[in-house]
Amino acid sequence: MVGAFSSLGCLQTKTRWLKPPLGWCKLNTDGAVSVRNGEASCGGVVRDNLGGWLIGFSKKIGICSTFEAELWGLYEGLSAAWMIGVDKLLVEIDCLDVVKLFADRRTVDRCVALVPYIMELLSRQWQVRLAHVRREGNCVADWLAKHASVDDFLCHRLLLAPMEVFALL
């Protein structure tokens, strides 16, 4: 199904990272908001069907809700996967509300400004499936989100895994 979006597995909850099927890549994303100062960030990683690192990202967002930070993670992750030419992508997010938001594309609430941009990415010529994952299965994305640069608001693309996440991979 070219250009298809599927919510298959959207209610499945996994507790650890599992490799995607042959021919698929997996994107794990996360958003984080500091309780100390309210600053938000997001991060994530795209891995191949063997678990190999393809690209990661980390971005400071500024002040926003946790839900919005999760949406930023999804947006930046989809953008990174598209940029490197992924055509079959499983997306795992530890925010069930984000997965539910996109479960039925016809009724997506567009009140958050970022939603139309995510919808545009999902409608491109590729297969994307969203699934919920427990926080334990999303530890690399969580680390990347929490360690975003505080110096700027650029999305930092990571072609190599940071040394600090090797133990988490």
Side-chain angles (χ1 to χ4, degrees):
M1 292 185 337
V2 175
F5 169 84
S6 172
S7 60
L8 291 177
C10 73
L11 298 180
Q12 294 176 355
T13 302
K14 301 173 185 96
T15 57
R16 63 183 180 91
W17 193 88
L18 300 172
K19 295 176 186 174
L22 184 64
W24 286 76
C25 293
K26 185 178 279 190
L27 165 64
N28 287 85
T29 70
D30 197 20
V33 176
S34 170
V35 294
R36 189 176 78 254
N37 61 13
E39 289 283 326
S41 56
C42 64
V45 59
V46 178
R47 292 185 258 187
D48 63 23
N49 66 299
L50 298 175
W53 183 283
L54 297 177
I55 192 167
F57 68 93
S58 191
K59 177 183 175 95
K60 176 184 171 185
I61 301 166
I63 305 293
C64 70
S65 70
T66 303
F67 183 74
E68 290 170 308
E70 296 282 356
L71 289 174
W72 270 107
L74 177 58
Y75 173 77
E76 294 295 351
L78 290 171
S79 297
W82 179 261
M83 181 185 75
I84 63 170
V86 171
D87 62 352
K88 294 180 182 177
L89 184 66
L90 299 178
V91 180
E92 290 184 342
I93 307 170
D94 61 16
C95 180
L96 186 57
D97 288 337
V98 169
V99 175
K100 287 180 178 179
L101 176 67
F102 293 100
D104 183 359
R105 290 175 60 186
R106 294 170 301 216
T107 61
V108 170
D109 180 4
R110 296 175 184 266
C111 67
V112 178
L114 202 51
V115 169
Y117 297 100
I118 295 170
M119 293 294 292
E120 190 278 323
L121 282 165
L122 292 171
S123 69
R124 292 182 180 180
Q125 297 297 306
W126 60 346
Q127 294 181 58
V128 178
R129 296 180 182 166
L130 296 180
H132 179 252
V133 65
R134 291 190 190 276
R135 190 160 292 155
E136 299 85 0
N138 213 29
C139 56
V140 174
D142 180 65
W143 189 94
L144 290 166
K146 289 178 179 170
H147 291 85
S149 171
V150 295
D151 297 330
D152 59 51
F153 292 94
L154 298 174
C155 184
H156 295 272
R157 305 277 192 215
L158 308 168
L159 299 178
L160 299 172
M163 293 291 288
E164 297 86 351
V165 301
F166 279 117
L168 301 175
L169 290 170

